[in-house]
Amino acid sequence: MKNNKLIHHGASDKFYKGFIYVVLILLAIIIIVPVAWAFMASIKQDVEFYANPWALPKGIYLQNFADAWQKAKMGSYMFNSVIVTVIAISLLLVIALPAAYVLARYKFKGSVILNLMFMAGLFINVNYIVVPIFLMLNNGDKVARNLFGQPILLNNLFILALVYAAMALPFTIYLLAGYFKSLPREFEEAASVDGASYFRTMVQIIMPMAKPSIVTVILFNFLSFWNEYIISMTLLTKPGLRTLPVGLMNLMAAQKSAVEYGQMYAGLVLVMLPTLILYILVQKKLTQGMTMGGLKG
């Protein structure tokens, strides 16, 4: 009887593992096939694409990338995206790291309220507040016109980066604070005995240990800032200040009407490529950050 139960249990485990493998393979196919198809379409000539979109390319037609970079101004859009993303991540780390460390390791008057406020920020979707953000900056520009003679808040890459950093603060603080809470307090006690200040303890003791978690928040926020579309389109109305996702949408609309799919998919690859490269570079640190307490909360 016991042997029958063991055999039945083993068969159930095998069926469950087989089911999981099949689901994972299907999910991988759903993700990999469209990405591979976009890369393949980006190096095809338009004639090849019209003949059979699923056929392998006869050669590597890099002129699509040159046209997308120069004619469609994807290079200029990428430069704007790099500036906004670098500034936003820098601002975010400068603000979120000390805030998360203090909220995770010290109890003070108002700390509970601050924690609750940042937790509540996790449930605010950017789509719901993009109009209030635009109206607030627009009203600020009216004041700026009276004071300085020109607007300074809208059509400003630094302000866009500031909005991105503010929107990402709740998630980043939540993630970092969860990691900081998992670190042993003996390191800080030893640093205090040696005469280290709170700031020096945070910078020289805690942050090096939290490197996997910091890499995790950098990658997640890079993906968010690099691919963000709604806020960028709303706050940047001048064509020369467009970021890469907004430029890609304009390129797709223009190339669809011009029936030049090669340039369109070359632009799409230019948007995806930095994300894929960064993910490959930090994949190991990302896994460590996810498994060593970064998401323990």
Side-chain angles (χ1 to χ4, degrees), residues 17-290:
K17 287 181 180 177
F19 174 74
I20 293 297
Y21 282 134
V22 170
V23 171
L24 290 176
I25 290 171
L26 286 175
L27 289 174
I29 291 173
I30 291 172
I31 295 171
I32 292 172
V33 169
V35 173
W37 189 85
F39 274 92
M40 193 173 67
S42 69
I43 57 174
K44 279 184 174 180
Q45 296 192 43
D46 290 332
V47 178
E48 295 177 65
F49 190 89
Y50 298 138
N52 186 356
W54 290 99
L56 292 174
K58 295 178 181 176
I60 300 176
Y61 188 65
L62 296 178
Q63 188 60 37
N64 288 332
F65 289 92
D67 291 341
W69 186 266
Q70 294 177 347
K71 293 181 182 177
K73 300 180 180 178
M74 295 298 284
S76 172
Y77 301 148
M78 181 176 282
F79 181 69
N80 292 336
S81 282
V82 169
I83 291 176
V84 170
T85 304
V86 169
I87 294 176
I89 290 178
S90 301
L91 286 172
L92 184 63
L93 291 179
V94 168
I95 298 169
L97 278 170
Y101 174 64
V102 171
L103 289 173
R105 308 296 276 188
Y106 299 101
K107 297 295 181 186
F108 54 91
K109 193 175 182 180
S111 61
V112 176
I113 295 174
L114 284 174
N115 270 309
L116 288 175
M117 288 175 65
F118 282 118
M119 288 283 288
L122 292 171
F123 302 98
I124 298 176
N125 190 299
V126 64
N127 296 328
Y128 304 148
I129 59 172
V130 64
V131 174
I133 290 173
F134 172 78
L135 294 176
M136 185 173 64
L137 296 178
N138 193 38
N139 289 335
D141 267 346
K142 292 177 181 175
V143 177
R145 282 194 191 93
N146 292 330
L147 294 176
F148 308 110
Q150 61 179 4
I152 57 174
L153 299 178
L154 293 175
N155 289 311
N156 187 322
L157 294 179
F158 179 80
I159 297 298
L160 178 64
L162 190 62
V163 172
Y164 282 171
M167 293 299 304
L169 263 182
F171 167 75
T172 306
I173 288 178
Y174 174 76
L175 195 67
L176 290 173
Y179 192 89
F180 288 146
K181 286 177 184 175
S182 69
L183 298 176
R185 290 189 175 275
E186 286 75 10
F187 293 101
E188 290 157 296
E189 292 171 359
S192 178
V193 170
D194 290 339
S197 64
Y198 292 129
F199 181 76
R200 187 177 176 188
T201 302
M202 181 187 72
V203 173
Q204 295 187 344
I205 307 295
I206 300 299
M207 285 187 183
M209 290 193 295
K211 194 181 292 183
S213 182
I214 295 172
V215 171
T216 302
V217 299
I218 289 175
L219 179 62
F220 279 141
N221 286 306
F222 174 86
L223 296 176
S224 174
F225 301 158
W226 188 261
N227 296 313
E228 201 286 325
Y229 173 75
I230 296 176
I231 296 179
S232 176
M233 186 180 65
T234 306
L235 303 187
L236 302 177
T237 56
K238 289 184 178 178
L241 293 175
R242 286 173 182 158
T243 54
L244 208 47
V246 180
L248 179 63
M249 291 303 294
N250 292 332
L251 174 66
M252 292 178 74
Q255 299 308 328
K256 273 186 178 177
S257 59
V259 204
E260 293 180 348
Y261 289 101
Q263 285 186 41
M264 187 178 74
Y265 284 105
L268 188 63
V269 170
L270 287 174
V271 175
M272 288 194 299
L273 211 52
T275 305
L276 293 175
I277 292 172
L278 181 65
Y279 179 76
I280 292 170
L281 291 176
V282 303
Q283 184 186 12
K284 188 176 179 181
K285 290 290 183 184
L286 176 66
T287 307
Q288 290 177 354
M290 298 284 284

